[in-house]
Amino acid sequence: MRQIPVDTSTATVMVAKTPQVKIKDRRTGEIALDAETGGKLMTVDVMFAANDEVEILSVTVPETGVSDELTMGTPVALTGLIARPWENEFNGQKRHGIAFRAVAVTSLIAGAAKAKAA
């Protein structure tokens, strides 16, 4: 499946909703796991502002890539962000969209606080 790298260098990115465990099957409550590592996946909704446009993106991230201090409004860096087009058919209806995945979502405030302390 095609993966498209997303350049975030000129974007402003902030947490729109605190990280949540990603659910694979809402009917059973099964938690989504990373196919490679077997670790839990999280979903972080972020406000992505670039080119005079703002969107809310849901980004899937391994649990180990989510820093602890992510609250609404926290400015963040998205490491290794990719976009992946998807399409499926359910009950005869075709759906499509773009899924976003990152290696890590890291608070920029924590980084600034650590830099000042050093």
Side-chain angles (χ1 to χ4, degrees):
M1 182 175 291
R2 183 174 177 137
Q3 296 181 12
I4 304 162
V6 179
D7 179 14
T8 61
S9 62
T10 60
T12 299
V13 185
M14 297 171 58
V15 174
K17 183 178 178 185
T18 56
Q20 307 288 315
V21 173
K22 183 171 181 157
I23 304 298
K24 180 177 181 178
D25 186 335
R26 288 189 176 108
R27 291 173 289 150
T28 64
E30 181 182 358
I31 294 172
L33 302 176
D34 188 298
E36 293 177 17
T37 67
K40 270 192 223 177
L41 292 174
M42 306 290 287
T43 301
V44 182
D45 289 353
V46 297
M47 179 199 74
F48 190 92
N51 303 322
D52 294 327
E53 292 187 21
V54 177
E55 291 189 52
I56 301 294
L57 306 179
S58 287
V59 181
T60 299
V61 185
E63 184 177 40
T64 55
V66 177
S67 56
D68 293 334
E69 61 283 336
L70 298 183
T71 59
M72 189 182 304
T74 304
V76 293
L78 299 172
T79 304
L81 183 64
I82 58 150
R84 182 181 297 156
W86 61 268
E87 181 176 279
N88 65 24
E89 189 171 331
F90 184 73
N91 289 337
Q93 294 200 344
K94 290 187 178 185
R95 297 177 40 185
H96 63 278
I98 300 173
F100 293 92
R101 173 125 183 194
V103 173
V105 178
T106 311
S107 170
L108 294 176
I109 292 174
K114 288 177 186 172
K116 286 181 184 177

